[in-house]
């Protein structure tokens, strides 16, 4: 017979929620990376992407440092200019 553990339900719920959010963020990051790679390989200079979370200014600065510049944001739909990235690959 299994022994029952006395886990704090609130802590457990917070951990489950945090892991779910991290999973969503990881999934979006993987999808975004694939979209950037695909668009760049086709020589496209613009890319639109729907994130399920808001990108921080630090993240946007880091992307810009890699040649992926935010053009606009409306209703979680980000529009990027990837021409610098594309040009760096040629």
């Amino acid at each position: 017979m299994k022994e029952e553990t006395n886990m704090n339900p609130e802590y457990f719920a917070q951990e489950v929620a945090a892991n779910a959010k991290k999973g969503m963020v990881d999934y979006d990051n993987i999808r975004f990376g694939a979209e950037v790679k695909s668009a760049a390989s086709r020589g496209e200079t613009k890319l639109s992407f729907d994130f399920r979370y808001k990108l921080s200014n630090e993240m946007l600065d880091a992307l810009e440092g890699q040649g992926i510049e935010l053009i606009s944001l409306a209703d979680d739909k980000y529009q990027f200019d990837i021409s610098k990235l594309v040009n760096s690959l040629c």
Side-chain angles (χ1 to χ4, degrees):
M1 179 181 275
K2 287 187 176 183
E3 185 177 324
E4 187 175 316
T5 60
N6 291 332
M7 182 181 285
N8 179 329
E10 186 174 326
Y11 174 78
F12 176 73
Q14 288 172 352
E15 284 294 306
V16 168
N19 286 333
K21 183 175 181 181
K22 182 183 180 324
M24 284 178 23
V25 168
D26 289 346
Y27 179 71
D28 274 1
N29 291 347
I30 291 167
R31 283 182 33 244
F32 180 63
E35 289 290 324
V36 169
K37 182 178 179 180
S38 178
S41 70
R42 292 189 307 268
E44 296 178 9
T45 58
K46 303 278 191 266
L47 173 69
S48 293
F49 193 81
D50 291 327
F51 283 95
R52 292 181 281 182
Y53 60 93
K54 187 175 190 268
L55 294 178
S56 69
N57 288 335
E58 282 182 11
M59 179 70 79
L60 292 171
D61 289 345
L63 288 170
E64 188 170 344
Q66 298 300 315
I68 304 168
E69 186 176 340
L70 179 66
I71 298 171
S72 66
L73 168 62
D75 300 324
D76 297 329
K77 187 168 196 95
Y78 288 77
Q79 174 105 21
F80 295 95
D81 179 337
I82 61 170
S83 58
K84 290 179 185 173
L85 174 67
V86 171
N87 291 337
S88 73
L89 299 173
C90 297

